[in-house]
Amino acid sequence: MSRVMPDNDLAMIGRPREAAVTVSLQGEYWLWNSRDMAGELKRFACRAISISPHAVALVAPVRGSTGEWVSADIEHFGRLDGGIGRPLDHRGFIMNIVATADERRKLAAKVEWYGKYKNSGAVDRRTHPRSAVEYPFSTLLFADGAIMSCLVTDFSASGVAVSADSAPEIGTVLAVGKVVGRVNRLFPGGFAVNFIDVQEPQSVEGLLFPG
């Protein structure tokens, strides 16, 4: 189903906007013109890197087309709807948020609160703490030699969460960058890979993103 932004919201997008807050938040998104073989909307993982009451910048594995309707569910902010404004140089896009006046006031309050308190998060108590990088794109190498680009949503010494255009079956052995692992879980927008061998924490990032 093709969606377009209402004329009144297009006018709102052109108005001066509040300053954006830099963030690093996990989420998922779906393009309303992108469906799988069963006709279901395809979901992808993403990371929000900047947000204001009028727009959000998403690092994402599938970019979509300018003007295409997109919905996103972002950690701490919930569901946002709008249209793709422009692409980001490092893969991803700016989403122009469509909202009623009341919804935008509530979003502005969330953005203001997060801008003040974003550094007071809880300590990660996992055995191997998860990490993220600024431009988290890597490659998947399969046993048959096939290569696919992917977005790494987070990683640790023992595994990685990945989003790509398609998800392999659970049990598939593959390499993420230079690290070999096995797909052990599927989730909306991506899948998780357990490394065959636990990596050294100080070197895992360089192996996942060898450049």
Side-chain angles (χ1 to χ4, degrees):
M1 176 175 64
S2 178
R3 300 283 297 273
V4 296
M5 290 181 286
D7 290 341
N8 60 331
D9 280 291
L10 283 172
M12 293 176 70
I13 287 170
R15 297 174 186 172
R17 305 178 183 182
E18 294 89 340
V21 172
T22 299
V23 298
S24 181
L25 298 173
Q26 303 289 355
E28 65 172 347
Y29 70 103
W30 50 102
L31 303 168
W32 284 81
N33 290 334
S34 180
R35 295 176 180 267
D36 60 23
M37 296 296 291
E40 299 294 328
L41 290 168
K42 295 176 70 174
R43 293 175 178 252
F44 307 96
C46 64
R47 190 195 308 160
I49 58 173
S50 177
I51 189 168
S52 79
H54 290 267
V56 57
L58 300 178
V59 175
V62 179
R63 183 173 286 176
S65 304
T66 300
E68 184 174 355
W69 188 269
V70 60
S71 297
D73 192 353
I74 305 300
E75 183 183 9
H76 296 300
F77 289 93
R79 173 158 173 179
L80 303 171
D81 299 290
I84 295 176
R86 63 176 177 84
L88 295 176
D89 291 340
H90 48 273
R91 300 192 194 178
F93 54 87
I94 302 293
M95 170 185 168
N96 293 321
I97 299 170
V98 173
T100 65
D102 184 57
E103 289 170 339
R104 209 175 296 280
R105 280 193 295 271
K106 291 178 179 178
L107 179 58
K110 287 184 179 180
V111 171
E112 181 180 9
W113 181 90
Y114 193 82
K116 291 179 179 178
Y117 299 104
K118 64 181 180 179
N119 294 321
S120 60
V123 175
D124 191 338
R125 294 182 174 85
R126 296 176 183 176
T127 303
H128 300 290
R130 309 299 280 191
S131 302
V133 297
E134 188 174 5
Y135 302 124
F137 288 92
S138 188
T139 56
L140 303 174
L141 176 61
F142 295 87
D144 63 359
I147 298 175
M148 182 186 300
S149 63
C150 68
L151 181 148
V152 173
T153 58
D154 63 40
F155 63 91
S156 73
S158 61
V160 61
V162 172
S163 183
D165 193 35
S166 61
E169 295 181 355
I170 291 176
T172 299
V173 176
L174 50 76
V176 184
K178 295 183 177 180
V179 187
V180 177
R182 188 185 304 272
V183 177
N184 71 317
R185 181 170 59 91
L186 304 180
F187 56 83
F191 55 95
V193 176
N194 267 3
F195 298 147
I196 301 299
D197 299 308
V198 175
Q199 304 297 306
E200 293 294 332
Q202 65 270 23
S203 61
V204 63
E205 181 176 331
L207 294 172
L208 291 173
F209 309 98

